[in-house]
Structures are given as structure tokens and as C-alpha cells.
Amino acid sequence: DGGITQSPKYLFRKEGQNVTLSCEQNLNHDAMYWYRQDPGQGLRLIYYSQIVNDFQKGDIAEGYSVSREKKESFPLTVTSAQKNPTAFYLCASSFGDRGDYGYTFGSGTRLTVV
Amino acid sequence: QKEVEQNSGPLSVPEGAIASLNCTYSDRVSQSFFWYRQYSGKSPELIMSIYSNGDKEDGRFTAQLNKASQYVSLLIRDSQPSDSATYLCAVNPPNTGFQKLVFGTGTRLLVSP
């Protein structure tokens, strides 16, 4: 079955450490997105990618980096420059240019700073 | 003004009642609209999409869109305790040739047995 897979489900980061969250999809979607969700808040866009080897900053890109080397994969690195990284991270994908299908979300990664 | 606004709730309804969830958006020429359900600790799942003025029904769910008044609503008939979740409204801004949804902060629905 097609879907979008995020790993790990839970991640613990020490102060000053970079961590990478994985996102893989087999839906043949062109576009992929990373969102952050904090308790009681909506989804905030970190980065998005319309096609391979291209990505754009979202509303809260500072302290994060991404790559899009393959259509199926869009990993997110949370760098030490991100001062408050504890949150629920959601990866999503869509057909991109077809605005009527919405997003498919992965199951999320919960990141905690220890 | 936020681009997509929702009442945070909680909206409490008894089992079997109709739950009505509302969402307003700021950009008059927005094209497509989506409702997602998010259970606590889980990721959002798409339950309804709507693009044209009027109603769209799918089982117990009805989405209503009024572009002139810039609101979209979700009705849940015969509400069940399993419907208790946060409902996110999402709007696709004016056509830039690319889909980049803007989400509201969600309305928490509680259905009591």
C-alpha cells in the first residue's frame, strides 16, 4: 500500500546536537512538506519542496535544513541553532500542482530536548 | 488577521447530536478547502474536501462552503464518542500553480456518551 513513513516515532536530542528526521513516501507525489506542531497550536510550515533538488523556506525555517535528492525522500535536520526544538514534527506529501487532493501526512516524529 | 481562523473550543455535544464546526478565511479568492481530523498524539487525516459553493456530503459528514462570506463549515451528524478529536480547517491560497495549504489552529470536539 502507498503511504508516507516517518521515523523515528520518538527522538531525544541533547543540547547542541543535530538530529535528522526521516520522511519517505511511495505515493509518487511531487511535493513534500515539513510542519511543526506545538501543543495547542496549529501547523507551522518549516520547509517545502515542489520537485527533486529544489526546496523553499516556509514560515519558520531558522534552525532547520532539508534536502531533496530523491523524489521519495525529504529528510529534515534540526540543527543546534534551533533553540526550542521540542515539538511534534509532521511530514506531508501531495501532487503539488493539483490543488484538489489535499495532503497525506506521515505518522509524525515527537522530538524532545533532554 | 489570521489567514484561517477557527474557534479552539472545546465544542461539547452529546452522542447522537449534530456537531457544527466553523472556519473563516481571509483570502477571498482561495480555491480549495479541506477538513482534517487529528486524534490526540496522532497525525491529521483528511476527511473532507470542497471546492464549490454549497454542500458536499460523505456519510455522516457534510462540508459547507460559502465563498461570498468566506467561511467553510463541517457538520457531523449522529456524533459518536469516537468523533472526539481536533478538527483542522485548511485552505489552499489563490492559485500559484502549487498547493501550499494554510491550516487553522483547530477546533477540539468532545462527544459525550
Side-chain angles (χ1 to χ4, degrees), chain A residues 69-105:
Chain A
E69 297 177 2
K70 299 187 302 180
K71 185 176 183 177
E72 301 80 15
S73 179
F74 191 41
L76 173 74
T77 296
V78 184
T79 76
S80 56
Q82 172 48 243
K83 297 307 177 188
N84 185 22
T86 295
F88 188 42
Y89 290 86
L90 289 160
C91 180
S93 66
S94 79
F95 285 113
D97 61 347
R98 295 167 64 176
D100 50 348
Y101 281 85
Y103 292 173
T104 300
F105 282 93

Side-chain angles (χ1 to χ4, degrees), chain B residues 11-69:
Chain B
L11 172 65
S12 295
V13 300
E15 184 175 356
I18 296 175
S20 177
L21 304 159
N22 299 312
C23 170
T24 59
Y25 58 94
S26 60
D27 199 318
R28 179 174 293 276
V29 295
S30 295
Q31 303 264 319
S32 48
F33 309 85
F34 305 87
W35 283 100
Y36 285 82
R37 179 176 61 200
Q38 186 176 24
Y39 292 113
S40 181
K42 303 295 184 182
S43 63
E45 57 178 320
L46 181 65
I47 54 172
M48 288 288 288
S49 58
I50 187 166
Y51 325 110
S52 305
N53 275 329
D55 295 0
K56 179 181 177 182
E57 188 174 316
D58 183 0
R60 296 187 296 112
F61 299 99
T62 299
Q64 299 176 318
L65 176 60
N66 184 321
K67 289 188 177 182
S69 300

Side-chain angles (χ1 to χ4, degrees), chain A residues 10-82:
Chain A
Y10 298 96
L11 187 57
F12 298 91
R13 192 194 94 166
K14 295 180 180 178
E15 295 283 350
Q17 188 179 43
N18 292 355
V19 292
T20 298
L21 284 58
S22 172
C23 179
E24 304 271 338
Q25 55 98 2
N26 60 2
L27 299 166
N28 200 32
H29 284 169
D30 291 308
M32 297 186 75
Y33 315 79
W34 274 105
Y35 285 88
R36 169 181 173 145
Q37 188 175 39
D38 294 280
Q41 297 193 31
L43 303 178
R44 293 187 289 168
L45 182 63
I46 304 172
Y47 269 97
Y48 63 100
S49 169
Q50 299 183 57
I51 56 172
V52 175
N53 293 322
D54 185 55
F55 50 82
Q56 287 79 40
K57 293 181 178 180
D59 301 319
I60 56 165
E62 186 175 350
Y64 301 97
S65 66
V66 293
S67 63
R68 188 86 187 276
E69 297 177 2
K70 299 187 302 180
K71 185 176 183 177
E72 301 80 15
S73 179
F74 191 41
L76 173 74
T77 296
V78 184
T79 76
S80 56
Q82 172 48 243

